Amino acid sequence: MSPARAEGPVIERAEAARSGMGWRFDVTLSHPDSGWDHFADGWEVLTPDGTRLAIRVLHHPHVKEQPFTRSLSNVMLPDGLREVQIRARCSVDGWVGKPVTLTLSPGG
C-alpha cells in the first residue's frame, strides 16, 4: 500500500503587470501546509515551452495564512512573449499539478 499524499499547491490567482523594464508577478496559492515538514515552497514563471524565466522561493510554511499571495518583481521576459505559465511546488511532492497559463497584456 502506498502512503496517502496530501494535495499539492493550488494556484488560486495569478497576475502580471509591467514594472519598469521588467514585470511583476503576484501569485495566490492555497495548500494544506502542515508545518516545516510539508508546505508550499515555491512557484515559477515559465515560457509556453517550459523554459524557466524566474522562480519565487517560499522559505517557510503558511499554516495560518491560507490562501496567501506572494510577489516577484523585475522579471525580464523575452520580447514578443504573449503568455507565460505559472507552476507551484511543495516541499514533499515537488512540482505538481497543471501549470496555469497567464496571458500578458501588451501594455502591462
Side-chain angles (χ1 to χ4, degrees):
M1 176 185 266
S2 59
R5 295 176 87 81
E7 61 187 81
V10 173
I11 299 168
E12 301 287 346
R13 193 181 80 206
E15 298 177 351
R18 276 207 176 272
S19 178
M21 295 295 291
W23 288 78
R24 173 188 165 106
F25 288 85
D26 299 306
V27 175
T28 301
L29 298 179
S30 60
H31 181 265
D33 286 12
S34 60
W36 291 100
D37 60 328
H38 190 190
F39 66 100
D41 67 352
W43 53 266
E44 64 183 354
V45 180
L46 306 167
T47 63
D49 71 2
T51 301
R52 180 186 289 166
L53 298 170
I55 185 168
R56 175 62 155 94
V57 176
L58 304 171
H59 295 284
H60 60 85
H62 297 85
V63 175
K64 296 181 181 181
E65 182 188 358
Q66 293 290 328
F68 63 97
T69 303
R70 294 297 177 268
S71 302
L72 184 61
S73 297
N74 301 318
V75 177
M76 302 309 288
L77 301 180
D79 288 340
L81 190 66
R82 297 289 177 245
E83 66 181 26
V84 295
Q85 295 182 336
I86 309 293
R87 185 168 68 159
R89 178 178 75 189
C90 84
S91 61
V92 170
D93 299 311
W95 299 106
V96 294
K98 186 176 178 181
V100 169
T101 300
L102 181 59
T103 301
L104 302 170
S105 134

